[in-house]
Amino acid sequence: MRMKRIFLIAITLLLCIGTHAQIKIDKSKPVLIMLGAEWCTSCRSMKNNVLREPMVENLMQNYNFVYIDMD
């Protein structure tokens, strides 16, 4: 139930951001949403280490990547 609520919040934020800011979305690519927070050590590690790996950066080119900070 909690994950469903977080997912709905993320989608709502994404839609709000899309209406109030210019986001370039390539409609031919799927959207990949990452939820994170500064207090979450796993989230920070993923954002600062894993997502910067060359192989991951290469794979991420196939997606519209959106990072939502839940703080």
Side-chain angles (χ1 to χ4, degrees):
M1 184 68 163
R2 180 180 165 106
M3 287 303 293
K4 184 177 180 181
R5 187 176 307 142
I6 290 172
F7 181 74
L8 290 174
I9 291 169
I11 294 300
T12 303
L13 287 171
L14 181 60
L15 292 174
C16 290
I17 290 168
T19 58
H20 297 293
Q22 291 182 349
I23 297 176
K24 187 176 179 182
I25 299 285
D26 183 346
K27 293 182 180 182
S28 67
K29 297 178 184 179
V31 176
L32 177 63
I33 301 172
M34 179 180 169
L35 305 175
E38 282 302 312
W39 55 263
C40 176
T41 55
S42 297
C43 298
R44 281 199 323 263
S45 176
M46 178 84 146
K47 183 178 164 187
N48 296 328
N49 298 313
V50 176
L51 293 178
R52 292 184 179 173
E53 289 288 326
M55 183 178 79
V56 175
E57 286 181 340
N58 188 33
L59 289 172
M60 294 300 288
Q61 293 176 6
N62 298 318
Y63 297 90
N64 291 298
F65 180 73
V66 178
Y67 178 81
I68 298 176
D69 189 339
M70 300 300 286
D71 283 330

